[in-house]
Amino acid sequence: MAVNYVGNVTITEEDIRRAETYLPIMDKTAIVQVMAPACIEKVRIAVPVGGDGEDIEPTLIPVPDMDQESALERTLCSTFVLLYFYLKMPDITSQYDPNGEMKLAANDYDRYRHIMTQLERMKASCKDTEVRNRIFELLADYKDFERRLGLEIHNLLNIRNDLCSRMTAMFSQQTDPKTIENALKQADALAHKTTELQDKVTREAVELAVKGAKRKAVEKRMNETAMEKFGGKV
């Protein structure tokens, strides 16, 4: 998505007179059902197990992904509804297809920055009663749409993040042959490293024992030599 924008679009009274102030309930329901899944993103999760903190990396045991709401996607989607279905802004309706991806590009969102503030100010200051009433109706109905979208997202998250479902999926993932194979490889690596460490300790212990025995033999021989030299008895 582009992030640069050109200019700042100002909503006019003519835009309000052209706008739709109410979306039929079935239209809202259909739009919400399409948009809600697009406003949810995956959170990748893996639990590190094993490893020695040095040479052997821990194995990442897969845990089922969790889902969370994407603030960016929800903002771009809901603003698309406001500009396309309610305000029917010509530059938006001419370049977007509601049968495709129903969300704004970031640069179009930036061009319409502060749009809710504009509508609220116009509602408070407009002297034309008809325009003012249409703004009241439009904002009320749009907020109802946003509420329905939020509820649908919430319901989807509850279903997708259900603990029992995720536990079942986790057991399935962790008994996957590839996961078991990786775990066995790591266990072999750790066992091999442990064996090498034990062998090293054994060798060092033997070397120390040999050195100690040699030292005692030398000391004994020196004592014997001294005793013979000075007339002592062995």
Side-chain angles (χ1 to χ4, degrees), residues 101-216:
E101 193 174 32
M102 290 195 292
K103 71 174 183 180
L104 287 182
N107 60 322
D108 284 325
Y109 177 83
D110 291 332
R111 290 194 303 113
Y112 280 91
R113 60 192 184 277
H114 307 314
I115 184 171
M116 292 298 290
T117 301
Q118 288 188 53
L119 292 173
E120 292 289 352
R121 286 175 177 170
M122 190 181 296
K123 180 180 71 175
S125 62
C126 183
K127 294 183 173 24
D128 188 314
T129 303
E130 179 188 358
V131 171
R132 188 167 61 250
N133 288 341
R134 289 180 64 82
I135 296 174
F136 269 104
E137 294 168 0
L138 186 155
L139 288 174
D141 200 64
Y142 175 67
K143 289 175 182 177
D144 177 65
F145 163 79
E146 283 196 311
R147 181 185 64 81
R148 293 174 186 275
L149 177 60
L151 183 60
E152 183 70 12
I153 293 172
H154 175 76
N155 290 340
L156 282 177
L157 289 176
N158 282 341
I159 294 171
R160 294 186 181 187
N161 291 332
D162 176 72
L163 180 59
C164 291
S165 298
R166 294 186 72 249
M167 289 294 291
T168 301
M170 181 179 70
F171 292 141
S172 176
Q173 289 180 359
Q174 292 182 356
T175 54
D176 180 78
K178 188 66 176 178
T179 301
I180 295 174
E181 180 184 354
N182 290 337
L184 290 174
K185 285 181 179 178
Q186 188 196 57
D188 288 343
L190 286 171
H192 181 69
K193 185 171 183 180
T194 300
T195 301
E196 288 182 339
L197 181 60
Q198 289 176 340
D199 291 343
K200 180 181 178 183
V201 171
T202 301
R203 287 196 304 271
E204 291 178 349
V206 170
E207 289 173 0
L208 287 174
V210 170
K211 288 179 180 178
K214 288 181 177 178
R215 185 176 66 251
K216 288 181 179 179

